[in-house]
Amino acid sequence: MKRKIITIDEALCNGCGACAHACHEGAIGMVSGKAKLLRESYCDGLGDCLPACPTGAIRFEVREAPAYDEEAVRRAKAGGCPGSASRALVRGEQAATHGEAQPSELRQWPVQIRLAPVSAPYFAGADLLIAADCAAYAYAAFHRDFIRGHVTLVGCPKLDGVDYSEKLEQILRQNDIRSVTVARMEVPCCGGLELAVRRALEASGKQIPCHVATIAIDGRLLG
């Protein structure tokens, strides 16, 4: 099949390994001091590695390549770093058992947009919360007022240096998402997160209710 996939210019590669670290799917590795696309079926075509490359050695191309094998990537992650394995979290009686005065409302793992699988059982019929990294630190009751009852994805487009819209579009398109809430900070750079969500909603072709909540840096909810 023809699809978008990365290509690496070996002449431009300086061997720093930043792209291999940025590739959460494990598609890129270092061979003889140069970055190589080792597993084409592990490359999701989203390009998290592109902004990590300091020499511009990585670009997209459209060519014949195996389809992205999400299940193989998930199995590899589960067998590798346990912290990246996708899982649903069950909340309820165990919170009281452990004496938690204010239990966590988080329902799934991982929470980073870049690490979240496009298709996961917990997305079915979910109310999706897409939040800025800083929001939970600024707003004291974030678990109670935002995370509760939601599947939560967090990110910072400024720090990650990526446009989340394509991955979010895939999540919206491939799953039965009931609603989307965006929790962003009042700072201008947080507008990138809101813009990515709006682009993803439009590109998905679905009419999904969306609400944007803006949080001030002093913790006030502005709207």
Side-chain angles (χ1 to χ4, degrees):
M1 63 176 293
K2 278 194 174 183
R3 69 180 184 94
K4 185 169 70 172
I5 195 169
I6 66 159
T7 184
I8 303 173
D9 188 336
E10 185 173 317
L12 293 177
C13 176
N14 67 0
C16 69
C19 59
H21 178 74
C23 179
H24 300 291
E25 288 70 33
I28 300 174
M30 304 302 295
V31 178
S32 301
K34 296 288 185 177
K36 297 284 187 181
L37 178 58
L38 300 179
R39 305 173 184 86
E40 291 186 345
S41 62
Y42 281 31
C43 177
D44 60 7
L46 295 179
D48 287 349
C49 55
L50 268 70
C53 179
T55 65
I58 307 174
R59 61 179 175 83
F60 282 126
E61 64 178 2
V62 178
R63 61 174 173 82
E64 289 289 336
Y68 172 55
D69 191 343
E70 184 180 353
E71 182 58 33
V73 171
R74 186 180 296 121
R75 288 197 303 267
K77 285 182 178 180
C81 174
S84 297
S86 176
R87 70 193 76 174
L89 305 177
V90 179
R91 300 295 179 188
E93 294 182 359
Q94 71 270 35
T97 301
H98 293 293
E100 297 178 37
Q102 188 172 347
S104 171
E105 297 288 348
L106 191 64
R107 299 175 58 185
Q108 99 292 335
W109 188 267
V111 296
Q112 287 288 337
I113 297 173
R114 295 175 64 176
L115 296 180
V118 171
S119 297
Y122 48 71
F123 280 129
D127 293 302
L128 185 61
L129 171 66
I130 301 172
D133 285 347
C134 302
Y137 294 94
Y139 190 81
F142 197 77
H143 275 248
R144 183 195 68 197
D145 293 350
F146 286 98
I147 295 180
R148 180 179 293 174
H150 290 80
V151 167
T152 303
L153 298 177
V154 303
C156 176
K158 185 173 183 178
L159 292 180
D160 286 345
V162 297
D163 181 1
Y164 298 126
S165 56
E166 188 170 347
K167 182 164 190 181
L168 292 175
E169 176 199 342
Q170 292 184 37
I171 291 173
L172 296 173
R173 186 186 295 274
Q174 296 184 30
N175 299 281
D176 179 26
I177 302 297
R178 297 193 307 178
S179 69
V180 175
T181 298
V182 181
R184 56 161 292 181
M185 299 299 296
E186 65 174 328
V187 294
C189 58
C190 227
L193 183 66
E194 180 181 347
L195 180 60
V197 173
R198 295 195 183 280
R199 285 176 174 170
L201 284 165
E202 182 178 359
S204 73
K206 294 183 176 181
Q207 299 297 318
I208 302 174
C210 179
H211 170 69
V212 178
T214 302
I215 299 167
I217 57 175
D218 63 4
R220 291 175 296 122
L221 186 60
L222 300 178

